[in-house]
Amino acid sequence: MNWISNYVRPRINSLFSRREMPENLWSKCDGCGTMLFHRELTENLNVCTNCGHHMGITPRKRFAALFDGGVFSEVKVPTPIADPLHFRDQKRYPDRLKAAQRSTAEKEAMLVAEGEIGRTPIVAAAQDFSFMGGSMGMYVGNAIIAAAERAVTLGRPLVLFSAAGGARMQEGILSLMQMPRTTVAIEMLKEANLPYIVVLTHPTTGGVTASYAMLGDVHIAEPNALICFAGPRVIEQTIREKLPEGFQRAEYLLDHGMLDRVTDRRALRDELVSILRMLLKEPPPVKGDLPKPDLPETVVAPAGDAAAPAETPQPAEQEADATSGKDPKA
Amino acid sequence: MTNYLDFEKPLAEIEGKAEELRAMARASEGMDVEDEAGALDRKAADMLRDLYKDLTPWRKCQVARHPQRPHCRDYIEALFKEYTPLAGDRNFADDHAVMGGLARLDGRPVMVIGHEKGNDTKSRIERNFGMARPEGYRKAIRLMEMADKFDLPVITLVDTPGAYPGKGAEERGQSEAIARSTEKCLQIGVPLVSVIIGEGGSGGAVAFATANRVAMLEHSVYSVISPEGCASILWKDSEKMREAAEALRLTAQDLAKLGVADRIIKEPLGGAQRDREAAIASVGAALGDMLKELDGKSAKALVKDRRQKYLDLGQKGLAA
């Protein structure tokens, strides 16, 4: 032990870590500009505590908060052929894909999982806007088909969180063909009489809105989410006039009859549990922290429940450790 | 009077010269120009063949959008008998960008539905340039349901730049209308055959072209986004549409390789606009063939095959 290791090194270390701290601990609300402490933001599911602005949330973080105890298991999605058109704009498509994989640490723009919410077994799929704008290509199509097939096999409802700029141009016509493909997936659910609930999050546009996102039994949107077929800029260029305030936002669509509800993200889980259990003719949900010790009268096993999940349940992710064990709804 | 596309300019010059010579000969008696004019004709014919032998994707887009190309109405008038238009979505309006109704094809009653672009300023405005609003898709849904109920095959003719991006269209649920139309295509227990006769513009086309059989005219295109739109997003420059058209692989030939198009209908030399009757006749023959392929299939098999076809798409890519 000497002066260098006892005094100098800790000082240097603390200098470096102090410099990184502000970036990691605080983020600025895109809505009102308030600086939000990271733990508070995570506890509020990336919703600003000051203005209620809903910021983007990754599928993993969403699932960690959605599923009981943050426990879910991923449903395997068949990998499509890579770069079918050998697409190249200013960059090669495989390079864009790799860059997105590096920056998100995800394989593709959709995550499919099975687990329980409020003791109600479901299959859930969530689109990842941070992965190439959540764009719908062959992988997303495969993911929705895999989710629907898994839901039908297990006899469970499907809850889908949409978020996308539209179809993935780099897959050309094959991305467009995900519109009929995903529609076939939704047909499977309908024929099995399984609830299909769509949660439309910011933004849901283009071919995604014009296929699986608008075919739900129930449409719920997050506040102020942009939901449209053609984007506001395209419309302004076409009709050459300014669009009204709030045009194509969730509340506007609610007014025009395209949605059932607009629900704050922090209240969404309870609402989903409630709606699903009514559609499934299950008794009312247990309120409060989950998981709880066995309450036999509320644990009702639907037909497919005997089949164990394909993979063993895993804790959601390291970053979610801060939230696990706490009530995710805060 | 032919409308020449920009890449056809040299051809326009030669054909113009031949025309001029003949006009001169008509004006002054005894002047024989037929030798020279005939030589020019042959030169023009060679040039036309060369130009159209290997059209670039962007040129295909231009041909597909050619104003004198036969449109939905032309096909319906020439190929179908007793065409009886059926209007309206029973909810809001009748969309003139979408034509549809009962008709007979070779004596057989069918439901025919298609996008109509119009052929002069007045009709183009009336037809909204073939860009349908939600009412158009909802009319199509209604007609498909009727066809399903009365066991009539459905024929769709696709020719649209895309669904209309307008304020009212969005307010009345453009996305929902398209989604429901695609869904209806996948539900009906009758043969559904589709021909892309010009432009297959994105979701607006899918809503009609999710069919048991999809044919494309030789110079038609079908794409997730227009080359101009793709260029402005990915190249940040809408003038890069040639590059975008190349990259998007939107030609009938590439789409047949990818399994999206089941057959290619050959066009007359120089495109459908140069010999409309011949183009229309080829489409008629293809429609007959495709319906024959589906004859005798049960409603269940038709639905199952249609769905399987789309589930299977994307298993093959294009060779490098």
Side-chain angles (χ1 to χ4, degrees):
Chain A
M1 293 299 140
N2 55 30
W3 181 79
I4 289 192
S5 61
N6 283 342
Y7 182 74
V8 175
R9 196 181 290 158
R11 278 298 291 266
I12 291 173
N13 286 347
S14 75
L15 260 178
F16 275 103
S17 56
R18 207 182 303 156
R19 237 173 53 191
E20 278 177 21
M21 262 185 186
E23 279 175 7
N24 292 338
L25 291 180
W26 295 90
S27 14
K28 197 171 159 186
C29 168
D30 314 323
C32 64
T34 307
M35 294 304 285
L36 299 159
F37 190 55
H38 79 109
R39 192 168 296 155
E40 199 186 2
L41 195 60
T42 310
E43 277 171 10
N44 281 284
L45 304 173
N46 288 6
V47 177
C48 174
T49 47
N50 181 49
C51 69
H53 176 70
H54 283 52
M55 283 165 257
I57 184 167
T58 64
R60 262 177 221 285
K61 289 204 171 124
R62 191 185 277 281
F63 284 174
L66 179 74
F67 287 105
D68 295 349
V71 177
F72 60 87
S73 59
E74 273 184 51
V75 172
K76 210 171 145 42
V77 176
T79 309
I81 50 170
D83 192 15
L85 308 185
H86 309 284
F87 193 97
R88 184 190 185 117
D89 47 83
Q90 287 166 316
K91 274 189 200 164
R92 287 168 61 238
Y93 174 40
D95 293 341
R96 282 191 192 266
L97 209 52
K98 268 185 216 129
Q101 284 165 342
R102 263 200 305 276
S103 71
T104 58
E106 291 291 348
K107 193 178 170 202
E108 254 281 1
M110 188 169 260
L111 187 65
V112 185
E114 57 188 77
E116 297 193 357
I117 63 166
R119 298 269 161 84
T120 318
I122 66 157
V123 174
Q127 216 155 356
D128 191 347
F129 189 71
S130 60
F131 193 107
M132 291 185 80
S135 53
M136 170 181 68
M138 292 192 290
Y139 185 92
V140 168
N142 284 357
I144 293 171
I145 291 167
E149 284 175 344
R150 190 73 186 144
V152 171
T153 309
L154 299 174
R156 294 182 183 189
L158 175 63
V159 179
L160 187 141
F161 299 84
S162 66
R168 188 170 294 168
M169 281 176 284
Q170 291 88 347
E171 292 182 14
I173 193 76
L174 293 175
S175 70
L176 189 66
M177 288 300 118
Q178 304 314 310
M179 289 175 67
R181 284 187 90 225
T182 54
T183 307
V184 174
I186 306 314
E187 288 292 291
M188 295 177 193
L189 288 167
K190 290 199 172 162
E191 274 157 26
N193 280 325
L194 292 167
Y196 168 49
I197 297 185
V198 189
V199 179
L200 297 103
T201 76
H202 179 77
T204 298
T205 71
V208 169
T209 324
S211 56
Y212 56 87
M214 273 288 152
L215 293 171
D217 295 306
V218 179
H219 294 167
I220 304 173
E222 290 188 341
N224 203 36
L226 176 74
I227 301 161
C228 60
F229 178 66
R233 214 168 34 131
V234 175
I235 297 174
E236 281 185 345
Q237 281 166 4
T238 311
I239 62 174
R240 291 171 208 287
E241 57 180 272
K242 266 276 177 238
L243 293 165
E245 179 74 20
F247 182 67
Q248 297 179 321
R249 296 291 170 165
E251 295 73 12
Y252 196 88
L253 267 84
L254 184 71
D255 276 351
H256 285 83
M258 293 301 138
L259 302 173
D260 293 287
R261 305 183 55 76
V262 175
T263 303
D264 190 295
R265 191 182 288 157
R266 294 162 292 188
L268 196 57
R269 183 177 177 279
D270 280 353
E271 188 166 305
L272 285 171
V273 173
S274 177
I275 292 173
L276 285 172
R277 293 186 74 87
M278 284 193 269
L279 290 176
L280 295 165
K281 293 196 183 135
E282 301 279 359
V286 198
K287 294 280 180 193
D289 288 358
L290 285 168
K292 271 192 169 178
D294 272 10
L295 290 171
E297 73 274 18
T298 60
V299 184
V300 185
D305 205 45
E311 290 143 65
T312 43
Q314 53 181 40
E317 58 172 345
Q318 269 92 33
E319 292 151 77
D321 280 350
T323 53
S324 62
K326 285 185 198 139
D327 183 0
K329 299 175 299 280
Chain B
M1 182 63 199
T2 321
N3 267 330
Y4 290 97
L5 296 166
D6 60 9
F7 67 89
E8 295 174 332
K9 223 176 219 157
L11 181 71
E13 273 168 28
I14 297 170
E15 288 188 341
K17 246 180 231 162
E19 185 57 38
E20 232 170 77
L21 273 177
R22 291 199 171 100
M24 262 162 58
R26 274 196 298 276
S28 49
E29 267 171 62
M31 192 173 161
D32 185 20
V33 294
E34 219 19 73
D35 277 2
E36 281 171 70
L40 285 172
D41 282 350
R42 280 191 296 282
K43 197 172 164 195
D46 285 348
M47 186 174 276
L48 185 66
R49 198 173 310 113
D50 281 349
L51 277 176
Y52 275 80
K53 201 168 58 196
D54 220 354
L55 281 182
T56 62
W58 172 245
R59 287 181 176 180
K60 291 235 185 211
C61 292
Q62 292 176 288
V63 176
R65 294 170 183 171
H66 196 288
Q68 286 167 327
R69 213 174 154 78
H71 290 157
C72 179
R73 216 186 98 175
D74 304 310
Y75 286 102
I76 291 180
E77 276 176 2
L79 293 173
F80 296 82
K81 297 252 162 30
E82 288 182 65
Y83 171 61
T84 311
L86 300 173
D89 68 346
R90 298 295 185 270
N91 187 35
F92 182 76
D94 182 45
D95 185 351
H96 300 295
V98 174
M99 298 179 73
L102 291 163
R104 284 180 193 273
L105 181 71
D106 299 324
R108 182 182 188 179
V110 299
M111 188 67 81
V112 58
I113 303 167
H115 305 94
E116 171 56 43
K117 286 183 167 178
N119 49 19
D120 53 30
T121 309
K122 189 167 165 275
S123 61
R124 275 184 206 122
I125 290 168
E126 191 201 328
R127 302 289 187 180
N128 201 26
F129 303 87
M131 293 183 284
R133 297 181 166 94
E135 298 74 60
Y137 298 108
R138 293 187 178 128
K139 169 162 76 178
I141 293 170
R142 190 172 75 80
L143 299 188
M144 284 193 265
E145 275 169 358
M146 195 192 300
D148 193 22
K149 182 173 171 188
F150 296 103
D151 195 24
L152 305 176
V154 176
I155 291 165
T156 59
L157 301 172
V158 175
D159 192 12
T160 179
Y164 183 59
K167 185 167 163 275
E170 289 287 323
E171 285 173 344
R172 296 192 300 277
Q174 187 71 290
S175 339
E176 198 260 1
I178 293 171
R180 294 274 170 214
S181 184
T182 311
E183 187 187 40
K184 188 51 69 187
C185 286
L186 288 162
Q187 286 172 339
I188 54 176
V190 290
L192 173 49
V193 301
S194 183
V195 183
I196 317 282
I197 54 175
E199 271 184 288
S202 195
V206 170
F208 286 5
T210 302
N212 289 95
R213 296 284 186 277
V214 177
M216 287 183 72
L217 274 175
E218 189 184 349
H219 303 310
S220 67
V221 294
Y222 188 6
S223 177
V224 64
I225 186 169
S226 71
E228 293 92 330
C230 178
S232 78
I233 297 171
L234 290 181
W235 277 264
K236 318 267 178 245
D237 176 2
S238 59
E239 291 300 306
K240 296 275 192 227
M241 66 269 187
R242 286 170 192 80
E243 288 85 342
E246 199 87 40
L248 281 167
R249 307 290 199 137
L250 39 65
T251 66
Q253 292 67 30
D254 278 338
L255 268 60
K257 284 182 206 148
L258 290 167
V260 175
D262 298 300
R263 67 164 70 206
I264 297 174
I265 303 171
K266 213 165 154 37
E267 288 187 33
L269 180 63
Q273 73 276 11
R274 284 202 163 71
D275 188 348
R276 293 159 59 97
E277 284 72 31
I280 290 169
S282 313
V283 168
L287 282 174
D289 287 352
M290 291 193 287
L291 284 178
K292 204 173 283 165
E293 286 169 20
L294 300 171
D295 269 345
K297 285 196 185 242
S298 69
K300 228 176 169 176
L302 287 165
V303 173
K304 191 165 166 267
D305 290 358
R306 204 181 297 132
R307 290 185 186 177
Q308 200 56 49
K309 172 184 162 175
Y310 285 93
L311 287 179
D312 289 345
L313 268 184
Q315 307 207 337
K316 52 181 176 177
L318 294 169

